[in-house]
Amino acid sequence: MRLNIMRLMYCCLYFQKLIISSVNEMSFVNIIPVIAKADTISKSELHKFKIKIMSELVSNGVQIYQFPLDDETVAKVNTTMNGHLPFAVVGSTEEVSVGNKMVKARQYPWGVVQVENENHCDFVKLREMLICVNMEDLREQTHTRHYELYRRCKLEEMGFKDTDPECKPVSLQQTYEKREDEMRQMFVQRVKEKEAELKDAERELQGRFEQLKRLHADEKAALEEKKRLFEDDQSSFSKRRAAAQLLQAQSLTANGKKDKDRKNSGFM
């Protein structure tokens, strides 16, 4: 049956419609089966449907909440109510006039189905069982049974168990401390491994830095040598140019003197 879930404080109501499916994931709550829209089938069909639902719940391994019988004050009423499972309820948000008062009900052409009329559905029985009669037991079952099961499952998922390989009980505190110590040692080992990796990486980077530093120094020295050679060539060129300019000036001076002497000789 397809299951729609309505959560109460300490239980889970399953509204059954067609086929039962697995509800193992809801093993940590008090499950109470409920038939919704019970006014859509006849009394005889409803009785057969209740039997079918309970049979399919058992065959599918669904553990439902049974009203407790160990308390003499409620044992009689709980025995009767266990026989009513699953509860067949009718819901409505509309109010209909019945006699001299307004009640929650469903209005049909053939009559009125009252939500709080025990001759029409089990809504009042369900409410009384949950809120008035068995609330304390629901709370106790939640804490002592379902929460304990949930806690144990979660601890087992984390690797903790309350028994040793020989199925002897062990202290969860000791198991936790042992696991914590193992995790601490593992953490320390991982830190050491990471530190070693970082040191190796640091040495590698330092080696590459030194190599780049040497290459830079070699390139700088080569550039300095080229600069020195260029300056030597520039100085030599400047000297040769000055010598050439001096020779040219001396040559011009000598030629000017010769021309002057020739002119003076011709004049005389």
Side-chain angles (χ1 to χ4, degrees):
M1 80 187 50
R2 193 177 68 181
L3 304 176
N4 299 318
I5 303 171
M6 181 180 76
R7 288 184 179 275
L8 294 184
M9 189 170 182
Y10 290 100
C11 72
C12 179
L13 301 184
Y14 275 90
F15 289 82
Q16 287 94 28
K17 290 187 178 180
L18 298 176
I19 321 172
I20 293 181
S21 59
S22 175
V23 289
N24 291 331
E25 66 275 8
M26 300 304 296
S27 300
F28 308 121
V29 293
N30 297 307
I31 299 175
I32 299 177
V34 177
I35 299 173
K37 298 182 179 179
D39 56 329
T40 59
I41 56 178
S42 66
K43 293 291 184 181
S44 60
E45 291 174 332
L46 181 60
H47 179 69
K48 293 178 181 178
F49 190 39
K50 283 189 175 187
I51 295 174
K52 180 181 178 181
I53 288 172
M54 296 302 292
S55 175
E56 291 189 359
L57 285 170
V58 172
S59 63
N60 282 272
V62 180
Q63 298 293 324
I64 66 172
Y65 175 76
Q66 293 285 330
F67 300 119
L69 306 178
D70 52 350
D71 187 347
E72 294 181 358
T73 60
V74 296
K76 185 176 180 180
V77 64
N78 279 349
T79 299
T80 302
M81 291 301 104
N82 281 331
H84 277 282
L85 292 174
F87 290 112
V89 300
V90 175
S92 176
T93 58
E94 298 179 359
E95 292 189 345
V96 178
S97 176
V98 177
N100 296 325
K101 61 179 181 179
M102 302 296 291
V103 297
K104 297 288 185 183
R106 287 181 178 271
Q107 180 75 58
Y108 294 102
W110 44 263
V112 176
V113 178
Q114 300 177 43
V115 172
E116 297 186 3
N117 188 327
E118 293 190 48
N119 294 321
H120 293 178
C121 72
D122 297 329
F123 177 81
V124 173
K125 295 182 178 66
L126 175 62
R127 183 178 62 190
E128 292 296 314
M129 288 298 98
L130 295 182
I131 299 176
C132 299
V133 181
N134 297 296
M135 176 59 76
E136 289 303 319
D137 185 71
L138 285 166
R139 289 177 177 174
E140 184 179 353
Q141 288 290 328
T142 298
H143 290 294
T144 61
R145 178 184 174 186
H146 299 299
Y147 175 72
E148 178 62 23
L149 177 61
Y150 170 81
R151 183 187 68 85
R152 182 174 300 176
C153 290
K154 289 300 180 182
L155 286 173
E156 288 180 355
E157 289 178 5
M158 296 170 62
F160 300 108
K161 294 184 178 181
D162 53 4
T163 58
D164 60 15
E166 298 178 357
C167 296
K168 295 180 180 180
V170 297
S171 170
L172 282 176
Q173 180 66 26
Q174 293 178 356
T175 304
Y176 174 79
E177 291 175 355
K178 181 179 179 181
R179 183 68 180 275
E180 187 179 40
D181 185 60
E182 291 175 353
M183 293 179 66
R184 187 183 298 108
Q185 292 178 5
M186 185 182 300
F187 175 76
V188 171
Q189 181 63 28
R190 291 292 301 275
V191 169
K192 289 181 178 179
E193 292 175 355
K194 197 65 179 179
E195 287 178 348
E197 291 177 3
L198 291 174
K199 287 181 179 179
D200 291 340
E202 184 179 1
R203 283 193 294 269
E204 182 181 355
L205 289 174
Q206 185 64 30
R208 292 178 61 185
F209 173 75
E210 294 296 335
Q211 182 180 7
L212 291 174
K213 187 177 179 180
R214 287 193 297 271
L215 290 174
H216 175 72
D218 293 342
E219 291 178 355
K220 183 178 180 181
L223 288 174
E224 291 291 340
E225 180 63 20
K226 290 181 179 180
K227 180 180 178 182
R228 186 185 64 78
L229 293 175
F230 174 75
E231 289 176 348
D232 289 345
D233 291 342
Q234 187 178 33
S235 176
S236 176
F237 174 76
S238 297
K239 289 178 180 180
R240 288 196 299 270
R241 185 178 64 176
Q245 290 176 348
L246 178 60
L247 290 173
Q248 185 178 9
Q250 291 176 351
S251 176
L252 290 174
T253 302
N255 290 334
K257 186 177 180 181
K258 288 179 180 180
D259 291 341
K260 185 176 180 182
D261 291 341
R262 281 196 299 269
K263 287 181 181 179
N264 290 333
S265 297
F267 177 75
M268 291 178 65

